[in-house]
mmCIF file of all heavy atoms in Angstrom:
data_model
loop_
_atom_site.group_PDB
_atom_site.id
_atom_site.type_symbol
_atom_site.label_atom_id
_atom_site.label_comp_id
_atom_site.label_asym_id
_atom_site.label_seq_id
_atom_site.Cartn_x
_atom_site.Cartn_y
_atom_site.Cartn_z
ATOM 1 N N GLY A 51 14.671 -6.156 7.294
ATOM 2 C CA GLY A 51 15.061 -5.206 8.437
ATOM 3 C C GLY A 51 14.554 -5.677 9.850
ATOM 4 O O GLY A 51 15.248 -5.648 10.778
ATOM 5 N N LEU A 54 16.665 -8.407 10.946
ATOM 6 C CA LEU A 54 17.981 -8.030 11.411
ATOM 7 C C LEU A 54 17.895 -7.335 12.834
ATOM 8 O O LEU A 54 18.791 -7.185 13.453
ATOM 9 C CB LEU A 54 18.529 -7.043 10.451
ATOM 10 C CG LEU A 54 18.991 -7.604 9.074
ATOM 11 C CD1 LEU A 54 19.270 -6.486 8.049
ATOM 12 C CD2 LEU A 54 20.079 -8.578 9.211
ATOM 13 N N LEU A 55 16.720 -6.963 13.124
ATOM 14 C CA LEU A 55 16.536 -6.260 14.364
ATOM 15 C C LEU A 55 16.988 -7.204 15.604
ATOM 16 O O LEU A 55 17.487 -6.709 16.696
ATOM 17 C CB LEU A 55 15.028 -5.967 14.753
ATOM 18 C CG LEU A 55 14.560 -5.247 16.004
ATOM 19 C CD1 LEU A 55 15.278 -3.914 16.113
ATOM 20 C CD2 LEU A 55 13.122 -5.093 15.989
ATOM 21 N N LEU A 57 19.299 -9.486 15.582
ATOM 22 C CA LEU A 57 20.783 -9.721 15.695
ATOM 23 C C LEU A 57 21.523 -8.809 16.561
ATOM 24 O O LEU A 57 21.058 -7.603 16.798
ATOM 25 C CB LEU A 57 21.349 -9.671 14.289
ATOM 26 C CG LEU A 57 20.810 -10.690 13.290
ATOM 27 C CD1 LEU A 57 21.473 -10.504 11.957
ATOM 28 C CD2 LEU A 57 21.107 -11.990 13.733
ATOM 29 N N PRO A 58 22.550 -9.105 17.152
ATOM 30 C CA PRO A 58 23.390 -8.243 18.005
ATOM 31 C C PRO A 58 23.842 -7.020 17.219
ATOM 32 O O PRO A 58 24.403 -7.200 16.093
ATOM 33 C CB PRO A 58 24.593 -8.993 18.448
ATOM 34 C CG PRO A 58 24.212 -10.327 18.358
ATOM 35 C CD PRO A 58 23.304 -10.467 17.153
ATOM 36 N N GLY A 59 23.566 -5.887 17.635
ATOM 37 C CA GLY A 59 23.899 -4.671 16.876
ATOM 38 C C GLY A 59 23.169 -4.434 15.517
ATOM 39 O O GLY A 59 23.492 -3.718 14.645
ATOM 40 N N GLY A 60 21.901 -5.076 15.518
ATOM 41 C CA GLY A 60 21.210 -5.042 14.232
ATOM 42 C C GLY A 60 20.173 -3.882 14.198
ATOM 43 O O GLY A 60 19.494 -3.698 13.245
ATOM 44 N N LEU A 61 20.140 -3.112 15.215
ATOM 45 C CA LEU A 61 19.261 -1.968 15.261
ATOM 46 C C LEU A 61 19.494 -0.880 14.281
ATOM 47 O O LEU A 61 18.486 -0.481 13.533
ATOM 48 C CB LEU A 61 19.463 -1.212 16.609
ATOM 49 C CG LEU A 61 18.312 -0.220 16.936
ATOM 50 C CD1 LEU A 61 16.885 -0.919 16.894
ATOM 51 C CD2 LEU A 61 18.472 0.317 18.388
ATOM 52 N N LYS A 62 20.679 -0.791 13.917
ATOM 53 C CA LYS A 62 21.105 0.261 12.671
ATOM 54 C C LYS A 62 20.730 -0.365 11.452
ATOM 55 O O LYS A 62 20.060 0.356 10.624
ATOM 56 C CB LYS A 62 22.616 0.596 12.774
ATOM 57 C CG LYS A 62 23.046 1.513 13.883
ATOM 58 C CD LYS A 62 24.559 1.796 13.819
ATOM 59 C CE LYS A 62 24.907 2.499 15.136
ATOM 60 N NZ LYS A 62 26.385 2.845 15.202
ATOM 61 N N LEU A 63 20.922 -1.600 11.265
ATOM 62 C CA LEU A 63 20.646 -2.237 9.909
ATOM 63 C C LEU A 63 19.027 -2.320 9.758
ATOM 64 O O LEU A 63 18.411 -2.140 8.714
ATOM 65 C CB LEU A 63 21.083 -3.748 9.853
ATOM 66 C CG LEU A 63 22.749 -3.723 9.648
ATOM 67 C CD1 LEU A 63 23.147 -5.166 9.717
ATOM 68 C CD2 LEU A 63 22.866 -3.083 8.315
ATOM 69 N N PHE A 64 18.373 -2.516 10.931
ATOM 70 C CA PHE A 64 16.887 -2.510 10.917
ATOM 71 C C PHE A 64 16.275 -1.200 10.418
ATOM 72 O O PHE A 64 15.422 -1.120 9.530
ATOM 73 C CB PHE A 64 16.360 -2.790 12.357
ATOM 74 C CG PHE A 64 14.951 -2.471 12.577
ATOM 75 C CD1 PHE A 64 13.936 -3.238 12.076
ATOM 76 C CD2 PHE A 64 14.606 -1.252 13.300
ATOM 77 C CE1 PHE A 64 12.554 -2.896 12.148
ATOM 78 C CE2 PHE A 64 13.184 -0.827 13.509
ATOM 79 C CZ PHE A 64 12.377 -1.718 12.924
ATOM 80 N N ALA A 65 16.877 -0.071 11.077
ATOM 81 C CA ALA A 65 16.530 1.263 10.792
ATOM 82 C C ALA A 65 16.649 1.470 9.270
ATOM 83 O O ALA A 65 15.693 2.076 8.579
ATOM 84 C CB ALA A 65 17.265 2.259 11.614
#
Side-chain angles (χ1 to χ4, degrees):
L54 293 172
L55 178 66
L57 295 177
L61 193 57
K62 290 179 184 176
L63 289 173
F64 163 76

